[in-house]
Amino acid sequence: MPWGANLIHDKKITSAFKISEQSTDVIDPFPSGARRALQKGNAMSLHLVPRSLQYFEQVALQGSIQAASRELGISASAIQRQIVMIEESVGEALFERDPKGMILTPTGRLILDLARDWRLGNARLWSAVQANRGIEHGHIRIAAMDGMVNGLVPTLLRDVSQALPKVYVDIDILSPDNAVKGILQGDYDLSIVANAPPDRKLVCHWKEDFPLGCIVSPQHVLAGRASIFLEEFISHPVVFQSSYISIRKHLEARHGWIFEKATRAIVANSPHLIKVLAASGDYIALTSELDAASEIRAGLLEFIPVEDENALQQTISVISNVDAMETDLTVKVISMAVQNFQRTAASLSSTQRVS
């Protein structure tokens, strides 16, 4: 049990989070966009995380009360009152004020553990209620990446819809960091994510390494090439991912020089736009073959593996929370996601070369 979970047995701290009729009538405890309206007919949405913990968690996440206020749509003074209430109850400061933002104290980190445990318990309760309805009914929460919206995600949603037509699917497109964070906080039942960090609270149901490559139009001068070096890649007009897209930081860490040496480059924050620009024939881009799988199968793009030594690889995983309640529904949908990815990976030339 995490340290924070033990705090709930401390009367001094528990008093700060006592659930009453007033404190349970709270805002959605999930990050912006992480929870949509539930299926019609659901009797309750089970938002049982105390308001004080919700506000505290957002301040810890955003780094300031003002940023948490904007995220939650709640006045800064209301959030400040809840933070002060917790601090007075435990007799300790929860944050240190720093020019870079509010930084958690050791006690603050324990309270954050408690907030996440409470949120995960709330998710388990909801899962238990759904499990009582059987696999034919229920609610599954999925987090995925923007680069998958043109292929893998629609295929998975189609498979779930056909096999489980009465199941309500809630899917959010997030950055990999936020998708992992959502899994750890109990906001999602499964996530399809790139480069998930090792964590004892994450269960990896499937993962595959996908080599870096150059995507080009079939009409581009590079089309048909068996491989390419990055030095030649940057000699053409290129479109790079912005820092908003997770692969950018991995490219900078491994191949940062390409951003300095490329002379004809634009930057885009949309994986879809990057693929559209590459398909136009005016630009080329770096990504994994999986990210462009549907466009490659449709003949809109070709994939040319990068030949440089130690070229970046993206690891794509299907993950869940080790502490989350396992239901027949989640097991079924996770299995469908894994099978979907296995079929796609088996069809890709880069995976075949790696194997």
Side-chain angles (χ1 to χ4, degrees), residues 19-167:
I19 297 181
S20 66
E21 189 173 311
Q22 178 183 9
S23 64
T24 54
D25 182 17
V26 295
I27 58 165
D28 190 333
F30 302 96
S32 177
R35 172 74 76 185
R36 308 212 192 289
L38 298 179
Q39 188 176 18
K40 269 189 176 181
N42 284 345
M44 57 181 176
S45 54
L46 300 179
H47 295 165
L48 301 181
V49 181
R51 175 166 46 196
S52 53
L53 285 183
Q54 295 177 48
Y55 292 1
F56 164 77
E57 190 176 15
Q58 277 298 325
V59 174
L61 177 66
Q62 302 295 332
S64 76
I65 290 176
Q66 291 296 333
S69 172
R70 290 191 294 271
E71 180 71 16
L72 295 170
I74 301 295
S75 71
S77 60
I79 295 174
Q80 176 70 25
R81 283 195 298 271
Q82 296 293 330
I83 300 298
V84 170
M85 182 187 73
I86 302 175
E87 291 181 327
E88 290 177 347
S89 295
V90 301
E92 298 279 351
L94 303 184
F95 296 97
E96 293 177 358
R97 272 61 177 178
D98 184 89
K100 295 181 179 180
M102 298 177 70
I103 300 174
L104 286 169
T105 64
T107 299
R109 285 194 290 271
L110 293 178
I111 300 294
L112 183 61
D113 281 342
L114 174 61
R116 288 171 175 171
D117 288 343
W118 205 314
R119 185 200 291 273
L120 188 57
N122 179 73
R124 284 200 199 100
L125 178 58
W126 177 246
S127 295
V129 171
Q130 294 294 321
N132 288 336
R133 299 180 180 181
I135 194 170
E136 293 82 8
H137 301 80
H139 176 211
I140 194 81
R141 303 160 303 162
I142 302 172
M145 300 183 305
D146 192 29
M148 299 177 179
V149 299
N150 286 350
L152 289 160
V153 166
T155 301
L156 175 59
L157 295 179
R158 181 198 64 203
D159 292 347
V160 173
S161 177
Q162 290 176 351
L164 305 165
K166 295 182 180 179
V167 168

Side-chain angles (χ1 to χ4, degrees), residues 320-339:
S320 64
N321 190 314
V322 69
D323 294 325
M325 179 177 178
E326 189 177 82
T327 67
D328 290 342
L329 175 58
T330 57
V331 169
K332 176 72 173 176
V333 175
I334 288 172
S335 175
M336 294 169 73
V338 169
Q339 292 172 14

